[in-house]
Every structure is written in C-alpha cells, then in structure tokens.
Amino acid sequence: MSTVTDPRTPVAAPAAKSPRRPHLSGMTWLVWRQHRAAYWTLVGLTLACLAGVAWQRSQLTDYLAKYGWPHLKGDEWVQGFTAYSGHLSQAGLALTCVPVLLAVFVGAPLLAPDLENGTAKLVAAQSVSRVRWIGTKLVITGVLLVAGTALISAAYTWWWAPVKSQAGWTEATYFNTTGPVAVALTLFLVSLGVLVGMLARRTLTAMVVTFFLSIAVEVVWSMSRLSLGSEVNATTHHAAGLPGQSPTLPTGAYEIDSNYITGSGKLMGWSTCAHEASEKAVEVCLRKADVVGWSTKYLPISQLSSMQWLGAGILFGLTAVVVAVVVVRGRRRLV
C-alpha cells in the first residue's frame, strides 16, 4: 500500500543545524571537572591581579608625568617617589610568594588525593593509559600556570619599567617577578609539588613537605642568582696614600664590593685604616700601605635580561627532569 502525497501540501524545510560550540570532552573534560575549583580560582586571581597592576601603574605614570615622563630629567621625581615605591615593592613581595602557594595548593594536590582515596586504581583499570591521564593533568595545569604567570609578570614588568633604574633590580622582589624567571620558578616549584604528592600519597603530608621544600628552593635561588651575571670591575688611581673618590658607577648598577687598591695591584679592605684616631693618622696609614685608589666590582643593569634568561633556562631544565620522573614513575608504579 503506497501513500500519495498531495503536491499542494507544503514540505517542511529541514531544521538548520545550530553551530556546534567548542567544548571539552574525554579526559580533558574529566581533568577540568575534577580540578575546576582550583582552575577557576587561578583565572579569577589572574584577572584581579591584572586589574590591580593596571590601576597602580596609572597612578605611577600620573606622578611621573609631572616631571616630564617618559623623558625624566634630573632627580627631583625621586623625592616624592617613596609612596609609589612602597606599593611597588609590596606587590612584588606578594608575587614572590605566589610560586610557593601554587606549589602547595595546586602542585601537591594534583595527584596525591587520587592516590590517597583510590581514584588512581580506578583509572589504572580503564582503557585510558596512566601516562595519558597524568599527561593531561600536567598539560592543562601547566598551560594555565604559564598563561597566568606570564600575564601577571608582564603586567608587573610594565608597572616597574619606568623606575627600574631606581629600584633594586637584583632583589627577589623584582628579579623573580619580572621577565621569564616568574614563569620558570613557578613551573619548577609546582612540578616539585606534583612529585612530592606522588611519592607521599597523602594530600596533607604532600602539601606540608612541598611548602618547606619550596622555601628551601627559594632560599638557594636567592643565594645564587647574582652568580648568573658577569662582574665588572671599575678602578680609580690617585697619588699614593690618597684613594680619593670611589669610581662612579652607571645608573642602576648594583655594587658588589669595593676595596682599596695598592700600587702593586693588591686589594685591601676599605676598613684597613679605619682604626686610626685622626685623619692625619689615616693618611699616614694609607701611605704606608701604598694605597693609590679604589677597585669596585658591580653588576650593570644591562645584564638583567641575560641573567634572567640564563636562570630561567636552568629552571626550565630542572622542571623537565622532574616532569620526566613523574611520568616515568606514573607509568611504572602509579598504584
């Protein structure tokens, strides 16, 4: 029995397909769903930091504009810069704590809870490989950390740039929060936190151990970062026994050490004749020591970029080693 369709009956047009929106699926969706609270917190804090830095920089540039910024002349602007430098250093100090906090609250809990409550055993029993599961967690977390840290670091560098010659660029407040060091140090500490969580297999234990380990890394880094640069030596020469003025260093230079220099080129500490009771006695002491000038070692601010990239390269390399250990151990002994 056939059905005859009346040619006069209008035929309904096929429904237009709605454009498919991009969405997460599979393992990516699972990882995002599991850690969505931490991930959204990272996004929110990043946006809040960017807004705060933008507002603070506008305040700084409004102040500097009174003295002809971006072409500042003289040092008059330095007199009233104290309040703005306080905000800048306080923000930088807060940012130096961010890598440690991320290592404790993002890195350590990335795998430790799954190992503690048995979720890792369930994952190991599925068709998805353990390496893919760990890799997805590391990649998503790493992308968010790199994007957020890089944006905040770039914004803080933008805020600091107009006055970096007057701020202590060798201090952790600025050296660790500008350029590539901020990203590299964050990734290294977070990867350490992931490894500690994998080994400890207890969330709270992993967070505590990661905190103290991160502090230790920060201390070692602060003690070694100046060695990333190449010292420059400046000398002055005067008559015997008259050291005169120490060398004039370039703007923004960081002075490492300053010593008397003798006619034979020997260096003597600046306190060599400080024990003498009078200026005449000091002059006699200096003549006996054959002091003829000063020798000053310093780091020029022009080395900042090269020092940061060298340090970041070392940290990136260490991060790659830690991540490799996490992946290999996760493949062999996850549960």
Side-chain angles (χ1 to χ4, degrees):
M1 180 177 180
S2 61
T3 302
V4 179
T5 303
D6 189 344
R8 294 172 295 178
T9 303
V11 179
K17 293 183 179 180
S18 59
R20 189 175 183 180
R21 298 178 181 178
H23 65 283
L24 301 178
S25 61
M27 185 58 65
T28 304
W29 175 87
L30 179 63
V31 170
W32 182 274
R33 180 77 177 175
Q34 183 182 12
H35 301 284
R36 63 187 182 280
Y39 291 159
W40 282 119
T41 300
L42 289 177
V43 173
L45 291 177
T46 298
L47 295 177
C49 287
L50 293 177
V53 169
W55 184 80
Q56 288 289 349
R57 190 190 190 266
S58 67
Q59 298 296 308
L60 175 61
T61 53
D62 287 345
Y63 166 76
L64 294 178
K66 301 175 184 178
Y67 300 93
W69 185 83
H71 304 290
L72 295 172
K73 297 179 180 179
D75 296 328
E76 294 84 0
W77 64 274
V78 179
Q79 303 299 325
F81 178 59
T82 305
Y84 300 94
S85 64
H87 295 158
L88 188 64
S89 61
Q90 290 170 8
L93 182 61
L95 290 178
T96 58
C97 300
V98 170
V100 176
L101 295 177
L102 291 175
V104 172
F105 293 102
V106 177
L110 194 66
L111 295 177
D114 297 322
L115 295 170
E116 184 176 8
N117 58 31
T119 305
K121 294 182 179 180
L122 178 62
V123 172
Q126 305 303 312
S127 59
V128 177
S129 67
R130 289 172 291 183
V131 173
R132 181 184 173 189
W133 177 62
I134 295 175
T136 304
K137 280 177 172 278
L138 293 176
V139 169
I140 294 177
T141 305
V143 168
L144 286 175
L145 289 176
V146 169
T149 308
L151 286 173
I152 294 175
S153 175
Y156 187 72
T157 304
W158 177 56
W159 177 14
W160 173 63
V163 295
K164 69 178 182 179
S165 62
Q166 293 295 325
W169 59 273
T170 58
E171 299 175 8
T173 305
Y174 306 109
F175 191 90
N176 292 351
T177 56
T178 59
V181 174
V183 177
L185 188 57
T186 298
L187 287 180
F188 178 55
L189 293 183
V190 171
S191 65
L192 278 181
V194 175
L195 179 58
V196 170
M198 174 178 282
L199 298 177
R201 307 173 78 87
R202 296 290 185 272
T203 305
L204 183 58
T205 302
M207 294 175 71
V208 173
V209 173
T210 298
F211 173 76
F212 288 105
L213 182 59
S214 298
I215 295 297
V217 170
E218 290 268 18
V219 171
V220 173
W221 176 254
S222 66
M223 295 173 60
S224 59
R225 66 173 177 270
L226 293 183
S227 62
L228 299 172
S230 300
E231 297 179 355
V232 178
N233 192 37
T235 59
T236 58
H237 293 276
H238 302 279
L242 299 174
Q245 296 295 323
S246 58
T248 301
L249 304 183
T251 302
Y254 172 76
E255 182 176 327
I256 299 174
D257 194 14
S258 189
N259 296 283
Y260 288 132
I261 186 172
T262 66
S264 62
K266 181 182 177 181
L267 298 180
M268 305 178 66
W270 58 269
S271 61
T272 298
C273 297
H275 61 280
E276 300 295 339
S278 64
E279 291 186 9
K280 184 66 176 177
V282 170
E283 183 176 341
V284 172
C285 176
L286 293 176
R287 288 186 184 279
K288 288 182 178 180
D290 192 26
V291 171
V292 296
W294 288 92
S295 175
T296 302
K297 294 180 180 179
Y298 68 95
L299 290 174
I301 195 173
S302 59
Q303 291 190 18
L304 173 60
S305 180
S306 61
M307 290 172 63
Q308 286 183 319
W309 278 107
L310 176 58
I314 295 173
L315 292 172
F316 282 136
L318 294 174
T319 302
V321 172
V322 175
V323 170
V325 173
V326 169
V327 172
V328 172
R329 184 175 177 83
R331 181 181 181 182
R332 296 178 179 178
R333 296 182 58 188
L334 180 63
V335 294

